[in-house]
């Protein structure tokens, strides 16, 4: 197996350890550090640049560079990301509460800004660094101290303010000023502070954001931050967006298409479709958004003819569907979200049930007359009668009713009334109070939307 170019940094250290280096020399294996002769920008003689290609755990590949000149003694160290700019910028913040937190590894690219918030000191974008929190704070304090003698003579008032910052920074390094926070903000998305699996709420936080036009220009990029989006970064209704995904069937790369649709007199929903060209997997789903309503909603529609079969219907993931005349019930979560017609919804339910019961891949369930011969005769007769009734309903040969019980009030049936926002004579819409079991299933029992900051502070300081 060929050697990986970017191996974990721990493995690199083992490879270039003194013992490992001697062993590599004997076996003529490639060394972990590449050396290149390059020009010294201080004395203009030739020096040596050392390159280490490595991988940071939980992050990505980087190049660690170190230059030294034997002629004048000039040295320089920095890092560069081995990849490209990320699609979004990143902001990482760490709250230090103990001495062990100083050892957290920090990757600061040349486009990142570092800030010690309580110290009110910010390091602008510049040289890339691979260090830890202690190293970052020590460099800042040393830089501030280097010119204090000159400030004391020329600007005494500035000297005193800077000295206050230095003294406070020294207390931080000594562990006498916990807790305090450090943040790294990188529009290029290539900076990082290492997390710990034991970090609690509020200890380590990472968020991604869309770059502004000015940030894209500073990175030398064409402004694509809002391409296909509104000025505020929101998606545009009735616009199809495609993004890469992984097929759950064969795990090969595939494409997911997404479109936001505004259902008149209801709300906006997101329709998602995933298709895999390798294995033929297809998936369709509908997601509803918005706030959690105070009550659930129950919608009943009587289907009498082909016009009713053509009504638009949205069955959300949380909806329980019933057709009493057809002895049909579909539990929440089954079929996922669906936005289709009454006929299309019944057809989908029929085909899925037929394939599960009779274990046939026939696309037309009504035509699969010989499937299920292994079932007991009585059971097969019951299912045959069930599918005969549902086929008759799909063809408009019998009347039936559909009941949508949705604790999230996210399901919808098109109304044919003069005022489409009101139910017509064949529909009834009623609100109801959710049961304790529904509240528990939806995760609403443990949800707290008021005075949660007090609990957060208490947990953080525990």
């Amino acid at each position: 197996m060929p050697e990986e170019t970017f191996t974990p940094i721990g493995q690199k250290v083992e490879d270039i350890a003194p013992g490992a280096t001697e062993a590599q020399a004997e076996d003529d294996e490639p060394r972990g550090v590449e050396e290149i002769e390059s020009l010294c920008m201080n004395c203009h003689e030739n020096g040596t640049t050392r390159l280490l290609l490595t991988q940071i755990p939980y992050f990505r590949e980087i190049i660690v560079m170190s230059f030294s000149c034997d002629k004048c003694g000039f040295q320089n160290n920095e890092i560069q990301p081995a990849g490209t700019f990320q699609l979004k910028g990143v902001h990482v913040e760490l709250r230090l509460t103990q001495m062990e937190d100083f050892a957290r590894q920090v990757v600061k690219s040349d486009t990142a800004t570092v800030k010690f918030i309580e110290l009110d000191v910010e390091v602008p974008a510049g040289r890339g660094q691979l260090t830890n929190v202690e190293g970052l704070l020590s460099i800042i304090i040393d830089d501030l101290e280097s010119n204090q003698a000159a400030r004391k003579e020329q600007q005494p008032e500035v000297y005193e303010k800077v000295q206050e910052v230095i003294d406070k920074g020294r207390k931080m390094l000594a562990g006498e000023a916990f807790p305090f926070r450090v943040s790294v903000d990188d529009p290029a998305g290539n900076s990082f502070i290492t997390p710990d699996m034991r970090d609690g709420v509020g200890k380590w936080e990472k968020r991604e954001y869309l770059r502004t036009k000015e940030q894209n220009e500073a990175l030398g990029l064409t402004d694509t931050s809002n391409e296909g989006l509104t000025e505020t970064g929101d998606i545009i209704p009735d616009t199809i967006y495609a993004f890469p995904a992984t097929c759950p069937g064969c795990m090969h790369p595939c494409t997911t298409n997404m479109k936001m649709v505004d259902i008149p007199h209801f709300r906006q929903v997101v329709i998602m479709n995933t298709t895999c060209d390798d294995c033929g997997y297809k998936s369709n789903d509908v997601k509803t958004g918005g706030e959690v309503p105070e009550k659930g909603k129950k919608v009943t529609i009587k289907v009498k003819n082909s016009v009713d079969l053509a009504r638009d219907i949205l069955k959300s993931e949380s909806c329980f569907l019933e057709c009493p005349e057809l002895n049909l019930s579909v539990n929440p979560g089954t079929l996922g979200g669906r936005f289709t017609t009454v006929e299309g919804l019944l057809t989908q339910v029929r085909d899925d049930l037929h394939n599960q019961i009779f274990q046939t891949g026939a696309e037309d369930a009504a035509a699969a007359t010989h499937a299920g011969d292994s079932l007991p005769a009585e059971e097969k007769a019951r299912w045959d009668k069930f599918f005969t009734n549902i086929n008759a309903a799909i063809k408009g040969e019998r009347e039936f009713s559909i009941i949508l019980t949705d604790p999230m009030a996210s399901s919808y049936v098109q109304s044919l009334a003069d005022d489409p926002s009101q139910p017509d004579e064949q529909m009834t819409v009623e609100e109801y109070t959710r049961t304790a079991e529904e509240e528990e299933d939806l995760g609403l029992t443990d949800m707290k939307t008021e005075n949660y900051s007090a609990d957060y502070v208490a947990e953080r300081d525990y």
Side-chain angles (χ1 to χ4, degrees):
M1 180 180 295
E3 181 184 4
E4 293 185 9
T5 303
F6 293 93
T7 55
I9 190 167
Q11 183 62 43
K12 284 289 188 182
V13 172
E14 294 180 3
D15 291 343
I16 62 177
T21 304
E22 295 175 1
Q24 289 176 354
E26 295 176 359
D27 298 337
D28 293 329
E29 290 291 333
R31 298 195 306 176
V33 178
E34 300 293 335
E35 295 187 356
I36 302 174
E37 186 176 359
S38 55
L39 180 67
C40 175
M41 302 307 296
N42 185 49
C43 66
H44 303 291
E45 297 289 338
N46 284 337
T48 302
T49 296
R50 294 175 175 82
L51 303 175
L52 176 64
L53 283 64
T54 186
Q55 184 183 63
I56 301 297
Y58 312 109
F59 189 50
R60 58 177 61 92
E61 297 85 2
I62 63 170
I63 301 175
V64 182
M65 296 180 291
S66 172
F67 175 82
S68 62
C69 179
D70 296 334
K71 309 295 191 303
C72 66
F74 177 76
Q75 294 183 346
N76 183 40
N77 303 288
E78 64 178 291
I79 71 161
Q80 287 186 0
T84 58
F85 293 144
Q86 307 306 306
L87 295 177
K88 295 182 179 181
V90 65
H91 180 92
V92 186
E93 186 173 306
L94 174 67
R95 185 172 182 270
L96 288 85
T97 57
Q98 54 187 350
M99 294 300 294
E100 288 78 5
D101 294 333
F102 279 113
R104 297 289 185 101
Q105 190 175 64
V106 178
V107 178
K108 175 190 173 298
S109 75
D110 54 3
T111 57
T113 300
V114 175
K115 184 174 183 179
F116 284 86
I117 299 172
E118 281 73 16
L119 194 59
D120 198 20
V121 171
E122 182 175 302
V123 180
R127 182 169 58 91
Q129 293 175 287
L130 174 60
T131 179
N132 55 25
V133 178
E134 182 181 7
L136 280 177
L137 185 54
S138 298
I139 292 173
I140 292 173
I141 295 174
D142 292 343
D143 287 346
L144 290 175
E145 283 186 330
S146 62
N147 294 320
Q148 275 295 79
R151 291 193 193 100
K152 189 173 183 179
E153 295 181 1
Q154 301 171 7
Q155 298 175 300
E157 65 284 356
V158 176
Y159 164 82
E160 293 179 0
K161 294 181 179 179
V162 173
Q163 191 60 44
E164 291 178 1
V165 174
I166 294 174
D167 292 342
K168 188 174 182 180
R170 290 295 182 193
K171 289 183 178 180
M172 288 180 172
L173 284 172
E176 300 173 1
F178 291 129
F180 61 90
R181 295 165 294 167
V182 58
S183 66
V184 178
D185 189 280
D186 188 359
N190 288 322
S191 296
F192 194 63
I193 300 177
T194 304
D196 190 292
M197 66 177 63
R198 296 168 294 181
D199 289 342
V201 177
K203 176 76 172 180
W204 182 91
E205 179 184 353
K206 175 186 175 183
R207 61 177 176 85
E208 296 180 336
Y209 59 87
L210 290 172
R211 285 187 286 267
T212 64
K213 180 179 180 180
E214 292 74 17
Q215 287 173 329
N216 275 316
E217 290 177 352
L219 294 174
L221 301 174
T222 304
D223 182 22
T224 59
S225 59
N226 289 334
E227 183 178 349
L229 304 174
T230 64
E231 293 183 356
T232 58
D234 297 327
I235 63 177
I236 302 172
D238 297 321
T239 300
I240 298 177
Y241 297 87
F243 50 91
T246 300
C247 174
C250 65
M251 303 307 293
H252 288 179
C254 62
T255 301
T256 294
N257 296 312
M258 179 183 74
K259 180 180 181 181
M260 178 181 285
V261 177
D262 191 357
I263 300 179
H265 312 290
F266 186 56
R267 66 176 69 173
Q268 287 182 329
V269 300
V270 177
I271 300 176
M272 306 184 72
N273 167 266
T274 301
T275 303
C276 179
D277 295 332
D278 292 326
C279 69
Y281 172 84
K282 292 183 179 181
S283 174
N284 300 284
D285 203 0
V286 177
K287 302 291 185 181
T288 56
E291 62 182 7
V292 177
E294 293 184 2
K295 295 185 177 181
K297 184 176 290 186
K298 183 177 181 180
V299 181
T300 303
I301 171 70
K302 294 181 180 179
V303 181
K304 296 182 178 181
N305 50 43
S306 60
V307 175
D308 296 327
L309 287 171
R311 291 181 189 240
D312 289 336
I313 185 170
L314 169 64
K315 188 199 83 67
S316 74
E317 289 182 315
S318 58
C319 176
F320 177 71
L321 182 148
E322 295 178 271
C323 294
E325 297 84 358
L326 303 178
N327 293 320
L328 172 66
S329 62
V330 179
N331 291 325
T334 307
L335 295 178
R338 286 290 184 272
F339 181 46
T340 178
T341 62
V342 173
E343 179 184 358
L345 183 60
L346 280 183
T347 302
Q348 181 70 52
V349 172
R350 181 201 64 187
D351 291 348
D352 285 1
L353 275 175
H354 195 279
N355 290 336
Q356 291 176 22
I357 300 301
F358 295 121
Q359 299 181 353
T360 176
E363 294 184 359
D364 185 2
T369 57
H370 299 291
D373 291 338
S374 60
L375 290 174
E378 184 178 350
E379 184 177 353
K380 185 176 185 299
R382 284 202 308 268
W383 281 113
D384 286 340
K385 182 180 179 180
F386 170 82
F387 286 114
T388 298
N389 290 335
I390 199 171
N391 285 331
I394 291 173
K395 295 176 182 178
E397 298 174 354
R398 64 171 297 170
E399 297 182 2
F400 63 97
S401 59
I402 294 179
I403 304 173
L404 302 176
T405 305
D406 193 342
M408 293 293 287
S410 298
S411 296
Y412 159 87
V413 177
Q414 179 186 8
S415 173
L416 302 180
D418 294 335
D419 182 1
S421 63
Q422 300 298 321
D424 58 42
E425 59 183 9
Q426 293 175 220
M427 292 176 57
T428 59
V429 179
E430 54 183 309
E431 293 184 337
Y432 70 94
T433 301
R434 285 186 289 264
T435 64
E437 183 179 359
E438 288 176 330
E439 294 270 350
E440 181 70 25
D441 291 341
L442 293 172
L444 301 178
T445 304
D446 300 326
M447 185 180 295
K448 188 173 183 179
T449 59
E450 296 180 355
N451 300 323
Y452 52 83
S453 59
D455 292 346
Y456 162 71
V457 172
E459 183 178 352
R460 183 191 67 183
D461 295 337
Y462 175 71

